[in-house]
């Protein structure tokens, strides 16, 4: 996830809890650029989500 997110050249990458799941928060130009979450069930990745919509990132 971090390697993929670095393609946007973020200023900073943080871990945070978003919606009850561990998330990577990518910052660029002092704003949240994207949030990536992974859902793990029984030790397997069952969902990978990336939010890029600025309207949805306002709360992060």
């Amino acid at each position: 996830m971090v390697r993929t997110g670095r393609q946007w050249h973020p200023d900073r990458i943080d871990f945070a809890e978003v919606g009850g799941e561990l998330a990577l928060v990518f910052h660029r130009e002092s704003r949240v650029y994207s949030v990536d979450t992974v859902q793990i069930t029984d030790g397997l990745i069952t969902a990978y989500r990336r939010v890029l919509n600025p309207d949805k990132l306002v709360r992060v």
Side-chain angles (χ1 to χ4, degrees), residues 1 3 6 9 22 26 33 43-44 47 50-51 53 57:
M1 290 172 57
R3 185 171 63 190
R6 284 187 178 156
H9 307 288
L22 182 61
F26 296 87
Y33 180 77
L44 300 172
R50 173 170 286 149
V51 177
N53 183 336
L57 296 173

Side-chain angles (χ1 to χ4, degrees), residues 12-24:
R12 192 173 86 230
I13 302 171
D14 294 323
F15 287 102
E17 186 175 320
V18 176
E21 297 178 328
L22 182 61
L24 282 172

Side-chain angles (χ1 to χ4, degrees), residues 2-48:
V2 171
R3 185 171 63 190
T4 301
R6 284 187 178 156
Q7 68 186 346
W8 299 307
H9 307 288
D11 300 327
R12 192 173 86 230
I13 302 171
D14 294 323
F15 287 102
E17 186 175 320
V18 176
E21 297 178 328
L22 182 61
L24 282 172
V25 180
F26 296 87
H27 300 264
R28 197 162 87 183
E29 298 175 5
S30 300
R31 294 189 301 188
V32 175
Y33 180 77
S34 74
V35 174
D36 292 7
T37 60
V38 174
Q39 181 178 337
I40 300 174
T41 306
D42 297 327
L44 300 172
I45 296 173
T46 55
Y48 178 90

